[in-house]
Amino acid sequence: MSSKRLAHVLLLSFTFIACLTQPGYASDINLKKVSDAEKRSEEIAESQLSLGLTKPGETPLSTMIAITEAAEVGDWQTAAEYADLRFLPKSMSAEKGPEYMRKLGILWSKQQILDLSQISDSPTGHANDKLPSYRDLIGTLETQQGPVPVYLQHVPDGKSGKVWKISNATIAKIPELWSEFGYHPYAEKLSLMLPEFYLMHMENWQVIVFFSALFLGWFASGLVSYLAKRIAQRFEQKISGLMQFCGRSLRWFIYLSFLQHLALSLGLSVRARVWFDNSTLLYIANTILALGIIELYCNYKSKQLHAQDKGYSVALLRPLVAIIKIIVVIIISLMWLQSSGYNMATVLTGLGVGSLAIALAAQKPLENIFGALTLYAAKPIKPGDFCRFDKTLGVVEEIGLRSTRIRKLDRTVVHIPNSIFSSKELENFSVIDRRRYKHDLRISLNTSKQQLQLLLMELRKLLLSHPRVLAEAQRARFIGIERDAFVVNVNAYIDTGDINEYFAIAEDLNFHILSMLNQLDVHIAPIGQNVVLQRADSANLEVQRQAEQLVQEMIEDNQLPFPNYTEEERNAFKGSIEYPPTGSITKPKDVVRFSKEDEETEIRS
């Protein structure tokens, strides 16, 4: 590295350190005041130049317009023509007039803004300002010793006339003011080494320092963030997302806060500093930090709810967090607008009208959001439920702010808008607490009355005996005689909501009914009216005779269970059937036991 480049780097470093120790300047000037003053000044300057009614220096206003135009292009020699350089202290030279005007422009820009609407457009100046007729007050600069006024003075122009200029009393104060509020000597040297340019109302050296801080600050905040993440790693299991918070939200908060304080220490002009005086970067930093804390709490609460098996509340948490974030951003934005000088009543009125327009334009999205809140509050479904909506049958995967996602049985995914989903009929199969077992047995007309009676007895006994059949709505009835069949209705409820378990129990009941039909020689009637030509099957007279004899014995003993079994018999039947049946692989192994006699017989064989 060359000695010249090394000197540049060292000078830049010293300037950076020196700027960090520069004090900020308190001011009641805000963004709105600056914006309004600039707008008024531009309108006045344009009207004055376009009309051309006065010459530069003829009025206080024309003098300030001429100085402002010269300062904007860096023509301090022309600006010095409107400074009264007579009768200055011996330590000051009139030849340094351009330098004095440059420093006065910097000192003024640090504390004040030029509002041309406050400057007189009369050749005689302000008449009621309690000052001599040859003097007008432009403004004051605050110092540790008190305010220092900046005057315009009506002085001879050397051509038997008079012209308005910056007073020599004000020029005489510039060295003293510069020693207190001027740039650091290193900053002055760096400014002279760099080409003259301005960016966002910042001078060349201020631009270099600020943009250097953008990179240095990012790496410095990254180092702090890295150390914070190493510490947060120990607590990541308890507080999910803590490392992400330290890597993003905390880093941006430190970075923007650093830039805010750096900018206020650079001695910026009011027009550049007004963005930082209103803590714009701090508002952004605090917004990022607040959103990060909300997200961190959301992750922590989500993990806690999952541990408590409250998955439905987790689905509700996400949209609530989104709404809270929006509210936080709106509140901080309103606070920034207020600190910038805007009338909150006007802002809120505008927001009210704008909100109405947005609400009308975003009617459908808002309907979906309210539909989501309705689903979360009423809880008709939750992720994982199997349901039917209109013609859609499937499993609910996610309830979002806009739509609900359902995966159908063929594995395709359907997104249904929440506004529709929450307003139409919805059938949720996952909340079934019991399953209905219902069959209509169509018995052949060849079946005798006694066989039907025995079949009904056995069916009722089966329902009473099975341990998984509930007592509610339990029935087996001979409900109809049709031209092609006797109709026997079997109805019961199984004590499970799980469809797969229900099918297993229903299968077991079907096997029992099939055995009954075979034992009683009862046949299912064929469906339809087909004419079948075949040799008629002879009835099993022995079975019919036994059925008639058994029913007759019951009648004689008053044991016929019609219309129903007695309460004692019902209680005796309950649970007498083994389920799962003997030999099932799902039956506990200790259920089937051999007696001692069976064991001896097994040994002998």
Side-chain angles (χ1 to χ4, degrees), residues 69-193:
E69 290 180 344
E72 287 180 351
V73 296
D75 187 2
W76 298 109
Q77 186 67 41
T78 301
E81 296 177 1
Y82 299 95
D84 185 7
L85 302 176
R86 306 171 303 150
F87 314 116
L88 295 176
K90 294 181 179 180
S91 59
M92 299 179 66
S93 172
E95 296 179 354
K96 294 184 178 181
E99 180 66 15
Y100 296 147
M101 289 299 291
R102 185 183 72 85
K103 291 182 177 180
L104 179 61
I106 293 174
L107 294 170
W108 176 269
S109 67
K110 282 188 173 186
Q111 295 192 30
Q112 298 289 343
I113 54 175
L114 184 62
D115 188 354
L116 296 180
S117 65
Q118 304 298 318
I119 300 176
S120 173
D121 192 23
S122 172
T124 58
H126 287 296
N128 56 351
D129 57 359
K130 298 180 181 181
L131 292 174
S133 59
Y134 57 85
R135 181 173 289 174
D136 260 19
L137 179 65
I138 302 301
T140 59
L141 299 176
E142 297 294 332
T143 68
Q144 295 179 355
Q145 288 74 31
V148 174
V150 177
Y151 291 119
L152 279 178
Q153 193 158 296
H154 213 194
V155 298
D157 61 354
K159 300 178 182 178
S160 66
K162 287 191 173 183
V163 65
W164 286 93
K165 293 184 177 183
I166 302 294
S167 71
N168 51 7
T170 300
I171 300 295
K173 291 285 187 178
I174 290 177
E176 181 182 348
L177 292 170
W178 187 258
S179 64
E180 182 176 351
F181 297 109
Y183 294 146
H184 194 276
Y186 290 119
E188 283 283 280
K189 292 180 180 179
L190 181 60
S191 177
L192 295 175
M193 293 170 55

Side-chain angles (χ1 to χ4, degrees), residues 201-218:
H201 306 295
M202 292 190 293
E203 294 191 32
N204 50 8
W205 69 272
Q206 293 171 336
V207 173
I208 296 299
V209 172
F210 185 77
F211 278 90
S212 299
L214 290 178
F215 295 100
L216 294 177
W218 182 250

Side-chain angles (χ1 to χ4, degrees), residues 448-463:
S448 68
K449 170 189 170 183
Q450 291 76 13
Q451 286 177 298
L452 276 177
Q453 288 177 322
L454 289 176
L455 176 62
L456 291 172
M457 290 166 52
E458 294 300 323
L459 288 173
R460 294 169 190 171
K461 184 178 178 181
L462 170 65
L463 298 180

